[in-house]
Structure formats: structure tokens, C-alpha cells
Amino acid sequence: MELSAVLGFALVAVALIAVPGPDWAYVLASGARDHVVAPAVSGILLGYVLITAVVVVGVGPLATTLPAALLVLTVVGAGYLVYLGVCTLRRPAGVGSACPAASQGRTPLRYVARGVGVSALNPKGLLLFLSILPQCVRPEAAWPLPAQLATLGAVFIVICAAFYLPLGHAADRVLGARPGVARAVSKVAGCAMIVVGLGLLAERLVLALWR
């Protein structure tokens, strides 16, 4: 596989990851509010591993041809983002838990599971992989297409780790030491997740009505 193709995709990935979104909101909320970074980021990365696997085995393109599948994915993903956002707003940093899921346990595995939901249930993430990855592979290359897709997916995941781990630790150490700021950031992160979730639902509703 050509190094230029990998570097080109890496530059696009950096630009996309640097734009705040649901991943940002979840990592910031976990670091500033709960002082949990590695499990939260691990969940985000695992979600992208699952999306990469879907694309590599060829299920991704099939899903995009099924409007019902994308609709279900959008509704589930958007609803989950709204749920996490509401939980974050009801229990900002330094405040006792008001969210049932949070009160039932705050084990590392729970943060991993939530991170998987944030990235793997985000239809934008799946569509991103389907629209960008195919443009960076080279059918004439010696590597088979699945290997090229897996390599580019791994590059994206590594960049995510290099970006979100420092972001989460910064939220933990810098914001975590300032309860007032941490609460404000948690509320902003919660609002961001709700806005993104409702935006996804609204987008699908508009598309459905337009058709």
C-alpha cells in the first residue's frame, strides 16, 4: 500500500477528529466529571474497531443500501446520545448521581460500554468510514482491499487514541481540579450530546418527509 495514500488519509483523519463532536463530549465529560479517562477512550476506540470490521467484511456498503437499517441505526444512536447527555446534565461534576445508569455502578467496563455506544452507534461515523476509506484504497495495489481498509481503519484508531487520551487527561487534571469549571464543561458536553442526537433525528425526519 502506498505511503502517500496512508498519509493523505491520516491528514483527513486528524482534521475530522479535531472537530468537536460526540466523542469529544463523552471524553470531556468522563474526564472532568468522573475522572475516568482510559476506559472511556478505550470504548470509543473499540467502537471504531467494530465499524472498521463492518467495513472490511463488506457489510457496511450493504447497510447503506438499506434505508430501514440506516433509519434504525440513526434512531438508536441519536437516542443513546440524548440519554447520555441528559444523564450528564442531571449529574454534572461534583454533584451526586441522578441518572439510574450512573447510580447502578461506575465500573470501568460501564465506561467502555458507553464509549462503544457513542462511536459505534453514531451513523455519521459509519458513513464517514464508507465515504473516505474507499477513496484512499488502491485496487491496483499489491495489498488486497480488505487489508488496505483494515490498515486505514487502524491508522484512524491510533490517531483517535493519540488525540483523545491527552484530551481526557487534560480534562481530568486541569478541569477536575476546578469544580466550577468542571461542572460548566460537563453541562456543555451534555448539551452537545443532546444537540447532536436531536440533530440526527431531525435530519432523518426531514429526509423522510422530503421523500
Side-chain angles (χ1 to χ4, degrees):
M1 189 173 183
E2 297 179 2
L3 181 59
S4 59
V6 176
L7 292 178
F9 173 78
L11 291 176
V12 174
V14 169
L16 293 173
I17 293 170
V19 177
D23 295 351
W24 269 68
Y26 179 65
V27 171
L28 287 175
S30 298
R33 184 189 65 177
D34 300 328
H35 309 289
V36 176
V37 177
V41 175
S42 297
I44 294 288
L45 302 181
L46 182 56
Y48 286 122
V49 169
L50 295 178
I51 294 179
T52 301
V54 167
V55 174
V56 168
V57 300
V59 177
L62 177 62
T64 59
T65 64
L66 301 175
L70 285 179
L71 177 61
V72 171
L73 181 62
T74 300
V75 172
V76 173
Y80 189 70
L81 286 176
V82 171
Y83 170 75
L84 287 181
V86 171
C87 288
T88 302
L89 289 178
R90 295 179 64 186
R91 191 179 66 87
V95 179
S97 174
C99 180
S103 61
Q104 291 173 0
R106 295 166 59 185
T107 63
L109 184 59
R110 182 174 293 278
Y111 286 95
V112 172
R114 290 178 180 177
V116 171
V118 170
S119 57
L121 291 178
N122 185 354
K124 295 290 185 179
L126 180 57
L127 292 177
L128 174 68
F129 270 68
L130 294 175
S131 63
I132 293 181
L133 287 183
Q135 298 179 30
C136 297
V137 298
R138 298 292 184 269
E140 70 279 1
W143 289 25
L145 290 180
Q148 294 185 53
L149 292 171
T151 299
L152 295 177
V155 169
F156 182 86
I157 293 167
V158 169
I159 295 174
C160 280
F163 191 91
Y164 290 132
L165 282 173
L167 179 66
H169 284 297
D172 178 17
R173 297 178 182 179
V174 178
L175 301 178
R178 297 170 173 79
V181 178
R183 281 192 294 270
V185 171
S186 296
K187 291 179 180 179
V188 170
C191 289
M193 285 187 274
I194 293 174
V195 169
V196 171
L198 293 178
L200 289 172
L201 290 175
E203 179 185 18
R204 281 296 163 182
L205 178 61
V206 170
L207 290 177
L209 293 177
W210 183 260
R211 292 173 183 174

